[in-house]
Amino acid sequence: MLVRDAMSTLVLTIGPEHTLRRAASLMADRRVGAAVVLDPETCGVGILTERDVLRSVGAGQDPDRERAGAHTTTDVVFAAPSWTLAEAATAMTSGGFRHLIVLRDGGPVGIVSVRDIVRCWTPVPTAAV
């Protein structure tokens, strides 16, 4: 199975000026663990995860004052839609992260998470008779 088969194509994108509270609210509303951060000034693509928000709040920072851009990972490992799920899982395990932004032609087309991969690899339980 390939990344394109497992990825979500509905990607939450935010700007670097979003507050952490707003980013967290958007992630919670959409029930996702990460947002793609698009910075129009640098043409950069980064990722903000629920872990990033937790680290900031845990450090006593104000989520209404902290900006997503200050907590965004910009040294991102990207996946291609044609990667196998094993390649994606290896990248995640090696890098110690749970989400991969999927790029095609330089732009984000999806996001794949550990949960997506596990869902594809886990057999669907059959109903008991």
Side-chain angles (χ1 to χ4, degrees):
M1 189 169 271
L2 302 177
V3 165
R4 78 171 129 256
D5 302 318
M7 71 182 191
S8 172
T9 57
L10 297 174
V11 179
L12 172 60
T13 59
I14 63 173
E17 291 303 314
H18 276 77
T19 65
L20 288 188
R21 182 177 306 281
R22 181 70 180 135
S25 176
L26 290 168
M27 286 190 282
D29 288 348
R30 287 165 179 79
R31 302 176 68 139
V32 297
V36 174
V37 181
L38 299 177
D39 189 344
E41 290 188 22
T42 65
C43 297
V45 177
I47 191 166
L48 178 76
T49 68
E50 56 197 357
R51 279 188 193 174
D52 299 321
V53 175
L54 285 172
R55 282 187 192 116
S56 174
V57 172
Q61 296 174 331
D62 182 350
D64 291 315
R65 298 178 72 90
E66 291 297 313
R67 302 293 174 192
H71 300 276
T72 297
T73 300
T74 55
D75 184 20
V76 179
V77 175
F78 297 102
S82 59
W83 278 19
T84 65
L85 293 185
E87 288 173 305
T90 298
M92 290 178 185
T93 302
S94 298
F97 45 82
R98 298 179 291 174
H99 300 86
L100 282 170
I101 299 170
V102 183
L103 291 185
R104 182 182 307 127
D105 300 325
V109 294
I111 194 161
V112 65
S113 69
V114 169
R115 181 178 297 164
D116 297 325
I117 293 171
V118 169
R119 186 176 19 245
C120 290
W121 284 347
T122 304
V124 176
T126 57
V129 199

